Amino acid sequence: MDLSLSTRNVSGPGGDRTVVEVGGEIDVYTAPKLREQLVELVNDGSYHLVVDMEGVDFLDSTGLGVLVGGLKRVRAHEGSLRLVCNQERILKIFRITGLTKVFPIHTTVDEAVAATD
């Protein structure tokens, strides 16, 4: 399976956000594509990101590493990285690794965009 990525800018009560819609599998083969996208967004000045993982079928440790790296990048600019996910099998990975304490995880894009930092 491949990885699909698309981005769009959204304004909400918390300010402007860049939503990154991710679909497919985030694994050792596809994670570099996501890393590249996140780096490019931050380099272009997008420091408040919402990663929509509703279309993600699989996530491995490489993918988790990319998300943590993205979080570090935006935090270096006093930004934020919020996740949107309500799939139990993906949420379980975040719970097991303790990353639910690191990432704000929302059930909808609207909820993530409305959240204030």
Side-chain angles (χ1 to χ4, degrees), residues 42-68:
V42 172
N43 288 345
D44 289 345
S46 297
Y47 305 134
H48 295 282
L49 306 178
V50 174
V51 179
D52 182 357
M53 300 178 61
E54 288 304 298
V56 173
D57 302 317
F58 178 80
L59 175 68
D60 73 1
S61 60
T62 311
L64 287 174
V66 167
L67 292 171
V68 170

Side-chain angles (χ1 to χ4, degrees), residues 22-41:
V22 186
E25 299 180 356
I26 307 174
D27 59 21
V28 69
Y29 302 106
T30 61
K33 186 176 174 184
L34 177 57
R35 178 182 295 116
E36 207 173 274
Q37 178 74 67
L38 295 176
V39 168
E40 188 178 304
L41 287 168

